[in-house]
């Protein structure tokens, strides 16, 4: 079997060059190896997702705002932060939101030896599930970076990889108008937001996020979606209502 390493950049560049129609055809053809990208035939629903939490400042305020708005979300939690902020993590589950796994920590899985990457996923799913007393159906690799082997292991662990469509652009240094443009969502979309910021305690040293009130920005997006007639809910609710659209996405 050829080593997949060199294939990934070429694959990604190829995907980026395709038009939307060709990409849909390729996604359908590769769906047996696909990650969940969005849903179709799910009515006017979208899924709202938050990565990199829990965060002791942002998450509680976000939970209060979501409750006021009658919206639910899926939280892709880092086990490294669940251990540090167990009460905040419990509040996410108690709020009726969906618990999903982002990782044992935020290290890029494709930089770890495969055995370690696999162990980290198995271990983190089990501990997250036990700590919060809930099933964990969805996994989102840090940075969306996964190899075929990591993707297969996620399936063996009884989870599916969920990626995303539009994002709240709450980690990027962009102008407000651009941020507003990027967060536009259509029915079936899976929207990416962040309640936490992964740091050295999560195994990474990423640039700081923009100066942005992430709670106000996320709740403003929720209002915009709801005003546009969209129901804002969890990944589970979206996929229960509709059909998952998958495509192969392997990036290092
Ligand atoms: Zn992340």
């Amino acid at each position: 079997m050829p080593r997949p390493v060199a294939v990934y950049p070429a694959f990604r560049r190829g995907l980026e060059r395709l038009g939307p129609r060709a990409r849909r055809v390729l996604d359908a053809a590769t769906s047996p190896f696909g990650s969940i990208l969005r849903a179709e035939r799910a009515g006017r629903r979208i899924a709202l997702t938050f990565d990199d939490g829990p965060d002791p400042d942002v998450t509680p305020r976000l939970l209060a705002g979501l409750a006021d708005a009658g919206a639910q979300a899926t939280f892709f939690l880092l086990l490294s932060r669940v251990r540090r902020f167990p009460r905040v993590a419990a509040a996410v589950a108690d709020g009726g939101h969906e618990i999903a796994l982002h990782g044992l920590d935020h290290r890029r899985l494709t930089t770890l030896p495969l055995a370690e990457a696999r162990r980290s996923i198995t271990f983190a799913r089990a501990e997250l599930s036990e700590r919060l007393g809930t099933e964990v159906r969805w996994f989102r690799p840090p940075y969306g970076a996964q190899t075929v082997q990591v993707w297969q292991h996620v399936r063996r662990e009884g989870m599916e990889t969920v990626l995303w469509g539009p994002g709240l652009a709450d980690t990027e240094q962009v102008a407000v108008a651009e941020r507003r443009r990027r967060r536009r969502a259509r029915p079936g979309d899976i929207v990416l937001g962040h309640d936490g910021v992964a740091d050295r305690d999560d195994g990474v040293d990423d640039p700081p996020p923009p100066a942005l009130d992430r709670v106000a920005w996320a709740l403003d997006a929720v209002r915009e979606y709801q005003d546009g007639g969209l129901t804002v809910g969890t990944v589970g609710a979206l996929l229960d209502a509709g059909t998952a659209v998958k495509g192969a996405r392997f990036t290092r």
Side-chain angles (χ1 to χ4, degrees), residues 50-53 76 78 102 105-106 140-144 164 171 192-194 196-198 206:
F50 291 98
D51 289 7
D52 298 359
F76 287 86
L78 291 171
H102 197 30
D105 53 37
H106 207 265
R140 177 178 284 159
Y143 313 101
W164 62 90
T171 59
L192 171 69
H194 296 81
V197 176
D206 290 339

Side-chain angles (χ1 to χ4, degrees), residues 56-81:
D57 169 46
V58 170
T59 310
R61 292 188 290 126
L62 182 60
L63 293 176
L66 290 173
D68 287 346
Q72 287 193 310
T74 299
F75 287 77
F76 287 86
L77 302 178
L78 291 171
L79 189 67
S80 48
R81 299 182 71 90

